[in-house]
Amino acid sequence: MQIMIKKKIYAVVLLVCCTLTMAAKDYKASLFGVKSDGVTLNTGSIRKAVDLISSKGGGRLVFSVGRYLTGSIQLRSNVTIHLEEGAVLVAAPSVYEYDAVDGVKALIVAEACDSIGITGKGVIEGQGSAVLDHIRTQVQEGYLQDASAQIRPALIAMNGCSAVIIEGINLFDACGDVQSYRNCTGLTIRAIHVKSLATDGSRGLALSACRNVGLNNSFFNTSGREISSVAPSGDIRTAGCVNEEGRRLHF
């Protein structure tokens, strides 16, 4: 009887270990035809990679050294984008390359996803000035009605997501806000570097109706407010975060 119990326990442990191993599997972006030349628009290839990784149980989509031009990337549950040092995700200059979640356009978007993340020591470059110039041109030519904040894309926008980790990355020059999180639960943001001065009013981090949020050891230098909560949020913990002047930041 004890032997049977031990065998069952071993089988359960083995299953859990295999599941965790699958979830942690790395997939190199280059294997999906993603180009690091800074010129090729990789939106379609990156989206296919994210979808495939999610369908196989999850893992990390890893970007090595290089510049990767892309429009909106839609994250899926159990998928993490990992940017190695020297890897740069470069935002496409055309405003038409961006999708929105809950009315917020962004380079990386996620809606109703679980166990997702953006990690590493790489860079997400928003090309805020170039995107804003394109928006203004489209307004002048009559294709867009105005250049309001709702049109200007953020770098990251998530709505209704849970178990989110944003760690180590550098976020530069968004056209709109840098990060927008709405109705998210279990959001951990740590050791990130935010610098967004290319356009006016770019907020570093905007929360709305989020719960169980941890923001730690991060730096913000933005043209708008560094961090803000625009709707009631609960259980928010902030520690070790400063702005350009060295002032400690709190919600």
Side-chain angles (χ1 to χ4, degrees):
M1 185 67 177
Q2 289 181 344
I3 294 175
M4 288 294 294
I5 293 174
K6 287 181 179 179
K7 286 184 177 180
K8 288 182 179 179
I9 293 174
Y10 176 78
V12 171
V13 171
L14 183 61
L15 178 61
V16 170
C17 290
C18 289
T19 302
L20 292 174
T21 300
M22 287 179 61
K25 185 175 180 179
D26 285 353
Y27 298 82
K28 290 188 177 297
S30 59
L31 296 178
F32 298 90
V34 179
K35 305 299 183 183
S36 60
D37 55 17
V39 178
T40 304
L41 188 63
N42 291 295
T43 311
S45 298
I46 295 174
R47 287 185 177 184
K48 288 179 181 178
V50 170
D51 290 346
L52 184 142
I53 293 169
S54 180
S55 71
K56 290 185 174 295
R60 302 195 309 174
L61 179 60
V62 179
F63 292 81
S64 302
V65 176
R67 293 178 63 83
Y68 302 85
L69 182 67
T70 182
S72 284
I73 301 169
Q74 298 180 347
L75 272 180
R76 304 296 185 194
S77 292
N78 303 311
V79 177
T80 291
I81 289 177
H82 184 77
L83 303 174
E84 294 182 343
E85 190 169 8
V88 185
L89 283 184
V90 183
S94 171
V95 69
Y96 300 117
E97 293 292 336
Y98 297 90
D99 296 332
V101 290
D102 198 30
V104 180
K105 289 179 178 289
L107 184 62
I108 300 177
V109 296
E111 181 143 30
C113 293
D114 178 66
S115 300
I116 58 177
I118 308 169
T119 63
K121 295 183 178 181
V123 174
I124 300 178
E125 168 56 61
Q127 295 206 95
S129 295
V131 178
L132 186 56
D133 285 345
H134 182 257
I135 291 173
R136 287 170 174 165
T137 299
Q138 297 305 295
V139 171
Q140 291 172 358
E141 295 180 355
Y143 296 110
L144 294 175
Q145 291 185 345
D146 58 64
S148 63
Q150 287 79 8
I151 296 175
R152 294 162 53 188
L155 296 188
I156 302 170
M158 297 184 180
N159 180 52
C161 296
S162 59
V164 178
I165 296 179
I166 311 295
E167 182 175 25
I169 57 173
N170 300 278
L171 300 165
F172 295 158
D173 289 332
C175 184
D177 291 334
V178 179
Q179 302 169 86
S180 173
Y181 303 99
R182 300 182 177 186
N183 308 299
C184 292
T185 303
L187 172 61
T188 300
I189 302 172
R190 55 181 174 240
I192 66 171
H193 183 104
V194 177
K195 184 176 182 180
S196 189
L197 304 172
T199 61
D200 293 335
S202 179
R203 295 179 296 178
L205 170 60
L207 297 180
S208 178
C210 293
R211 297 286 183 274
N212 188 18
V213 178
L215 173 62
N216 302 298
N217 303 320
S218 297
F219 172 84
F220 292 82
N221 182 15
T222 56
S223 59
R225 188 171 177 180
E226 295 95 348
I227 60 176
S228 64
S229 182
V230 297
S233 295
D235 191 15
I236 301 176
R237 304 169 302 281
T238 308
C241 297
V242 296
N243 66 3
E244 177 72 4
E245 289 75 37
R247 178 173 58 86
R248 291 192 175 277
L249 301 175
H250 300 281
F251 287 100

